Every structure is written in C-alpha cells, then in structure tokens.
C-alpha cells in the first residue's frame, strides 16, 4: 500500500470509522486505531468546549455535546491550527436550533472575541497625535481587530449575563436587529452595540471615505448642526476606544462606493 | 550541525505564565508549542516575547505534518518562519508523524509506515521545511499505537537514516520510546542504543497511562521510574544535552515540575560523572 493510500484510509477511519479501511490497514491494528479514533474526537470536542464556554453553559452539557458530535461528523477539520475548528460551529448551531437563534448568536460572539484576541497588533492613534490634522482630507485607518456582528436576538444580553454570572434574560427576538461592534483595546476585548447612523458612518470611514466627506454625508441626512455633534462624538469614541490606528491627510482618498 | 545546549528546561504552559514572568525560575530554557503562538498578535505573542526576554526558548511544533504524502502546508511554514525570526529559538522541532492529508487535518500525531517510499517523502518534506525555515530542525520520535507489517526498516533505522540524509537533529522522547516499545514489544534499550547519539540535541521526559490494550502517551502524570531508568541508560551515550519535562494535562504546581527537573539534573550529574 502506498503512503497516500494508507493516509486516505486513516482519514476515512477517523472521519467515518470506515471498516473497509481497517481491513486494508490490518486487523491487528484494531486496538490502536480505536486509540487514534478516540484521540481525534476527544480533542475536537475539547477544542469546541474551550472555544464556546458560554454557549455550553447556556444550552447545557448534553445538548452541547450532541451539537459538537454533529459538527465533528459534518465538518472535518482542515486548518493547520485547531483554533480555527470552531469557525463553522455557530452555523452548525443555527442549523440544529433554528427556533432558538440566540444559541448561534452567543456562539458567534464567542468566536468573534476569540479571533480578535489574537488579531494583529496595531498601536492606536493618541489624542496628542491630532494636532495639525487636515480633517477635511483625513482618512482614518481602523484597528485590524474590528469586527461587526448582526444580532436578531438578545443573545448579547444573555452572553453578558453569563459572563457576569447573573441570571440571563429570557431569549427573545429583537424588535429591530442590532449590530455589535467588537474590537481589542490593548489586550482587552471590547464589545458594544452601534446604532444604524454610527454603523453607516463607520462602514464608510473603514472603506476610506475622508472625514470631510463623511461629515457632509451625514449633514445631508441630519442637518449640519446635528451632524457636527454626532460625527464629533463618534470620532471621540473611536479615538478614546483605541479603534483608530492611523489618520492620513496627505492626499484625497478614492470615494467610497 | 545544530549546536548543543546542555541545560534543563520545562514546557511553558498557561498555568505557569505568571510564575515565569514574575520570578526568575531556575530553568535553563523553556519549550513552547509553536502553533499556540503562530498568531497575528495579541496577548500570546506579547507573552512569548516577554518570556523570550528572560529565558532561552525552544519551539516545538505539532502540526507541520512532515509525513504527509501530499507535502507541506506553505502557509504553515510561512507563519512558523515568522515566529522563528521573531523569537530566535534554541531549537525548532516537530514530530516524525503526519496529521494532514488532502485538506483534512486530524490534529493528531498519526503513525508512519517505515518504508522506503515514506522515507523519501519525509526526507523531501524535511528538506523543504529546513529550507523554508533557514535552519536545521529537530525531529521527535513518536509514540505509536499501530505498527505496519510490510516495514522496510525499524523506527530507529528510519531515524538514523533520516538524520544522515537531511542533516536534521533528533529530539529523543524517552517516554515515547517506552510507550512504543511496550505497545509493539520491542526492546527500548536496543532502540536507545541504536539511535544516532551524535544527533540528539534535546530529550523529552514525560508520563503515560495504561489504556485498555495499550500504553497511551498522555503527558498527564509525573515521569515514571521506567522512563527515568531509560534516561539514565542513554545519557552517558549522549553527553550533556538539553533535557526537559513535558507535561500537557493535569498540570501540577510549578514546584512539582521543578522537583522532577531536579531529579533529571541529579541523574544527569551522576551518569555524566560516571561516564567521565
């Protein structure tokens, strides 16, 4: 048997306990193959448990284990890093629990936080670096850790209660969907909801719209006075929350489409 | 040839980060799992840099999959090279095993048949890895739970030839020798006498557990007397060599691991004095 054929047989044994593969590897290998099968599944379950502790606390150990086994049977690991194995787990939970959408949303929050925990470092712009900025031409660069999650339920409130070891609220759909903004400030993971006005401006700013254009954009919708106040407040928040890593006012950026 | 480092170290685990960062712990080096730090940034990389500023560090990988018939993962090598350049480790090591094939990654150290075909593939993969990393690696002998009837060579013959062919060094895991010898009924002394002693740059000492039919390399308990005996046997053949206690589960207080490391130091001092 070639090495490739053997490795395919081992894969098939691990993925679906393929007995034909066992026959080809050799009957004497049975006890050893059982060890590898156990190692494979145990490690993946442990990885999901470690990545989604609040989801596990919310749905209970038995339901979590059933979901983990379903996930292992349907989504084979492919990345070199075990940390990536949970990336599709919220989707598996959404598929398994379509009427309990908060479960997948709690898992989505945990996944996003885990990923931003190891996102690239990028020193934030300090308030003392703002002198002389030509704000009309300024383009903001945001921290690479920033992520946005769309929420249809009160999963974020449930997740927060679980973190704080408080009684979680009853799960329910939101009257209007929410968007959670996640980022890392130093080594601390942060999360807050953003309203639609801030979200639209943030999205445009992230894709390179100048600050001056942003202000004029908001002014057209909300009036000049309101826009000055709002955009100024958001900019202050983004800066004090260490979300902005560069401000470039050297040349006009391409318009954001 | 990879330079020797005759010191005594421990595997760095999360439970002991504060111990190592807040105090000067009496170890000569620390070994970290490479993949835990092959991330873009954040706390893991900052901690590793802080550790590196205080202690020599060895990088020990579990996901290179040097036995994959379809070659190595280029993205993995790129990330590992970046970590190597950042940390400037004592050693870079991984296992004589495979994990990944055709897009599937088992995240386990799976066994290889010791055939000429497998040898050629492993050599090619190690050559590629060493070129990508710009340095020679250490390859660790595995613990295995199945063996292959149509093998062309023993594991120790395979390793000896591998080191000669690729220039890699050997990370000799004494516990793995004991586990595999027990599981496959070969003489661990014959194994230790036959490996290329001049290529050994690091030793792992660990514990194991008894499974239903086989010994399992669990790293969840202290080093047993059987492994200490093998360590004492092989050490005079090696001379001073980097030695560490490897513990991955049921992590005890640091003091317990340092006590085990003291045992290793005591055995080494006695055996090397006898040999001299």
């Amino acid at each position: 048997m070639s090495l490739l054929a053997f490795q395919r047989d081992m894969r098939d044994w691990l993925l679906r306990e393929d007995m034909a593969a066992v026959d080809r590897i050799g009957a004497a290998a049975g006890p050893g193959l059982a060890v590898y099968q156990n190692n494979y599944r145990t490690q993946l379950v442990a990885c999901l448990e470690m990545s989604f502790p609040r989801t596990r606390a919310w749905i209970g150990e038995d339901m979590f284990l059933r979901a983990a086994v379903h996930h292992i049977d349907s989504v084979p690991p492919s990345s070199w890093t075990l940390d990536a194995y949970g990336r599709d787990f919220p989707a598996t939970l959404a598929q398994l629990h379509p009427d309990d959408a908060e479960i997948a949303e709690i898992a989505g929050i945990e996944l996003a936080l885990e990923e931003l925990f190891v996102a690239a470092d990028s020193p934030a712009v300090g308030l003392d670096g703002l002198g002389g900025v030509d704000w009309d031409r300024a383009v903001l660069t945001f921290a690479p850790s920033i992520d946005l999650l769309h929420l249809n339920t009160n999963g974020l409130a449930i997740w927060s209660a679980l973190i704080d070891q408080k009684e979680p609220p009853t799960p329910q759909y939101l009257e209007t969907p929410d968007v959670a903004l996640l980022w890392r400030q130093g080594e601390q993971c942060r999360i807050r909801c953003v309203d639609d006005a801030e979200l639209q401006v943030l999205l445009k700013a992230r894709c390179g719209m100048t600050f001056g254009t942003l202000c004029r954009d908001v002014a057209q919708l909300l009036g000049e006075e309101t826009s000055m106040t709002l955009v100024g407040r958001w900019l202050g928040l983004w800066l004090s929350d260490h979300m902005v890593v560069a401000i470039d006012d050297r040349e006009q950026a391409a318009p954001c489409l | 040839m990879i330079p020797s480092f005759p010191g005594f170290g421990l595997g760095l685990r999360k439970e002991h980060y504060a111990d190592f960062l807040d105090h000067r712990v009496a170890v000569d080096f620390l070994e970290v799992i490479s993949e835990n730090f092959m991330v873009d940034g954040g706390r893991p990389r900052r901690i590793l840099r802080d550790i590196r500023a205080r202690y020599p560090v060895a990088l020990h990988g579990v996901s290179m999959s040097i036995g994959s018939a379809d070659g190595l993962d280029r993205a993995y090598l790129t990330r590992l090279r970046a970590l190597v350049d950042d940390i400037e480790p004592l050693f870079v090591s991984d296992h004589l095993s495979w994990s990944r094939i055709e897009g599937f990654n088992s995240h386990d150290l799976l066994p290889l048949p010791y055939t000429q075909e497998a040898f050629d593939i492993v050599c090619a993969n190690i050559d590629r890895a060493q070129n990508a990393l710009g340095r020679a690696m250490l390859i660790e002998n595995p613990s295995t739970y199945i063996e292959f009837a149509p093998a062309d060579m023993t594991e120790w013959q395979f390793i000896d030839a591998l080191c000669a062919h690729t220039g890699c060094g050997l990370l000799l895991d004494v516990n793995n020798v004991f586990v595999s010898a027990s599981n496959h009924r070969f003489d661990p002394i014959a194994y230790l006498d036959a490996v290329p002693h001049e290529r050994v740059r690091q030793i792992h000492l660990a514990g194991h557990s008894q499974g239903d039919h086989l010994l399992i390399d669990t790293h969840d308990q202290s080093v047993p007397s059987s492994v200490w005996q093998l360590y004492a046997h092989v050490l005079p053949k090696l001379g001073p060599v980097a030695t560490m206690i490897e513990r991955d589960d049921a992590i005890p207080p640091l003091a317990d691991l340092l006590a085990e490391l003291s045992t290793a130091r005591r055995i080494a001092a006695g055996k090397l004095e006898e040999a001299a």
Side-chain angles (χ1 to χ4, degrees):
Chain A
M1 184 193 288
S2 72
L3 182 62
L4 181 60
F6 161 67
Q7 292 181 339
R8 285 174 172 160
D9 277 344
M10 277 295 280
R11 175 196 59 196
D12 293 346
W13 162 250
L14 294 175
L15 284 176
R16 50 181 180 273
E17 299 190 45
D18 183 347
M19 295 309 292
V22 176
D23 290 342
R24 287 190 292 273
I25 293 169
L33 288 174
V35 171
Y36 289 115
Q37 176 69 231
N38 181 64
N39 286 353
Y40 171 69
R41 290 182 163 264
T42 303
Q43 178 158 241
L44 294 181
V45 169
C47 164
L48 294 174
E49 287 176 345
M50 195 172 294
S51 297
F52 299 96
R54 311 301 166 198
T55 310
R56 187 179 176 211
W58 176 242
I59 64 177
E61 286 198 24
D62 289 348
M63 193 186 281
F64 187 90
L65 183 60
R66 282 198 294 277
V69 168
H70 179 88
H71 187 68
I72 292 166
D73 287 339
S74 52
V75 183
S78 57
S79 170
W80 60 266
T81 172
L82 201 50
D83 290 343
Y85 188 58
R87 280 184 191 152
D88 298 313
F89 193 52
T92 294
L93 290 167
Q95 181 195 21
L96 289 175
H97 304 288
D99 298 328
D100 302 300
E102 87 285 355
I103 297 175
E105 290 192 353
I106 295 168
I109 292 166
E110 295 200 274
L111 175 68
L113 290 171
E114 188 170 83
E115 297 201 335
L116 73 88
F117 182 68
V118 293
D121 300 316
S122 205
V125 171
L127 294 175
D128 54 349
L130 303 181
V133 171
D134 177 352
W135 286 103
D136 196 50
R137 293 160 60 99
V139 173
L140 310 181
T141 302
F142 288 84
S145 64
I146 287 180
D147 198 2
L148 294 165
L149 282 182
H150 294 262
L151 303 170
N152 291 304
T153 75
N154 61 339
L156 179 57
I158 295 170
W159 173 84
S160 297
L162 292 167
I163 287 280
D164 296 337
Q165 297 185 308
K166 292 179 180 165
E167 184 66 27
T170 304
Q172 59 186 31
Y173 280 91
L174 301 172
E175 284 182 15
T176 54
D178 236 337
V179 174
L181 170 67
L182 302 95
W183 74 103
R184 202 177 72 220
Q185 186 170 347
E187 292 181 356
Q188 292 294 114
C189 295
R190 303 277 308 275
I191 182 167
R192 70 174 169 87
C193 285
V194 289
D195 60 29
D196 191 55
E198 182 185 356
L199 175 66
Q200 296 310 319
V201 172
L202 180 61
L203 290 174
K204 287 172 182 170
R206 282 184 79 192
C207 66
M209 187 178 274
T210 64
F211 193 74
T213 310
L214 280 174
C215 290
R216 288 187 285 278
D217 215 43
V218 178
Q220 275 192 337
L221 291 172
L222 303 174
E224 193 144 335
E225 198 172 325
T226 309
S227 88
M228 290 290 281
T229 310
L230 275 180
V231 178
R233 185 198 304 159
W234 293 329
L235 177 63
L237 260 181
W238 300 340
L239 288 166
S240 62
D241 283 343
H242 293 197
M243 288 169 52
V244 179
V245 298
I247 300 174
D248 187 352
D249 60 2
R250 285 171 297 178
E251 57 187 49
Q252 193 75 35
C256 184
L257 299 175
Chain B
M1 196 72 101
I2 301 169
S4 295
F5 182 83
F8 293 82
L10 291 175
L12 178 68
R13 303 294 177 259
K14 281 181 186 168
E15 290 82 350
H16 302 139
Y17 282 173
D19 291 311
F20 285 107
L21 289 172
D22 296 345
H23 311 284
R24 178 68 217 185
V25 179
V27 296
D28 301 313
F29 72 101
L30 289 168
E31 183 190 85
V32 302
I33 303 298
S34 311
E35 289 78 4
N36 292 347
F37 301 94
M38 288 163 59
V39 292
D40 291 333
R43 187 165 180 262
R45 287 296 283 263
R46 194 267 300 163
I47 285 179
L48 183 57
R49 287 193 191 105
D50 289 349
I51 287 286
R52 179 65 186 89
R54 294 163 172 78
Y55 306 89
V57 166
L59 293 179
H60 184 50
V62 293
S63 292
M64 185 177 284
S65 194
I66 61 162
S68 283
D70 59 350
L72 301 181
D73 180 335
R74 187 187 304 172
Y76 176 91
L77 291 177
T78 302
R79 279 192 177 265
L80 180 57
R81 174 64 191 254
L83 185 65
V84 167
D85 289 346
D86 190 18
I87 297 304
E88 297 180 347
L90 280 176
F91 306 120
V92 181
S93 60
D94 210 302
H95 299 79
L96 179 56
S97 64
W98 66 281
S99 311
R100 180 186 45 72
I101 193 70
E102 295 176 335
F104 166 72
N105 198 321
S106 69
H107 296 287
D108 196 7
L109 304 170
L110 300 173
L112 285 164
Y114 297 125
T115 60
Q116 186 60 47
E117 185 214 4
F119 179 79
D120 293 341
I121 288 169
V122 171
C123 284
N125 285 343
I126 291 178
D127 282 343
R128 186 174 166 211
Q130 292 184 148
N131 284 335
L133 299 175
R135 60 187 291 159
M137 294 179 60
L138 302 183
I139 301 300
E140 177 179 341
N141 57 296
S143 54
T144 59
Y145 309 112
I146 59 175
E147 60 181 340
F148 301 86
D152 296 334
M153 53 194 113
T154 63
E155 185 172 294
W156 52 91
Q157 289 168 336
F158 194 97
I159 287 171
D160 187 34
L162 195 65
C163 291
H165 193 276
T166 66
C168 72
L170 176 59
L171 193 173
L172 181 61
D173 188 314
V174 179
N175 177 58
N176 286 354
V177 173
F178 183 82
V179 167
S180 290
S182 170
N183 289 343
H184 308 313
R185 297 182 182 80
F186 64 75
D187 178 6
I189 297 291
Y191 188 116
L192 293 174
D193 289 349
V195 292
H197 301 129
E198 73 285 0
R199 295 281 188 175
V200 177
R201 288 292 174 274
Q202 192 181 344
I203 286 184
H204 275 176
L205 299 168
H208 51 260
S209 302
Q210 179 65 57
D212 289 340
H213 304 280
L214 300 161
L215 284 189
I216 313 293
D217 180 32
T218 46
H219 295 187
D220 61 353
Q221 45 196 296
S222 54
V223 180
S225 60
S226 51
V227 173
W228 285 125
Q229 286 166 20
L230 293 179
Y231 176 58
H233 172 82
V234 76
L235 206 52
K237 303 174 196 305
L238 308 179
V241 61
T243 298
M244 63 158 273
I245 308 293
E246 195 182 29
R247 188 70 172 257
D248 293 314
D249 211 347
I251 306 290
L254 183 60
D256 293 7
L257 295 176
L258 289 170
E260 280 195 281
L261 201 58
S262 295
T263 303
R265 288 181 201 270
R266 194 171 62 249
I267 290 171
K271 286 293 168 184
L272 293 175
E273 194 177 301
E274 275 177 31

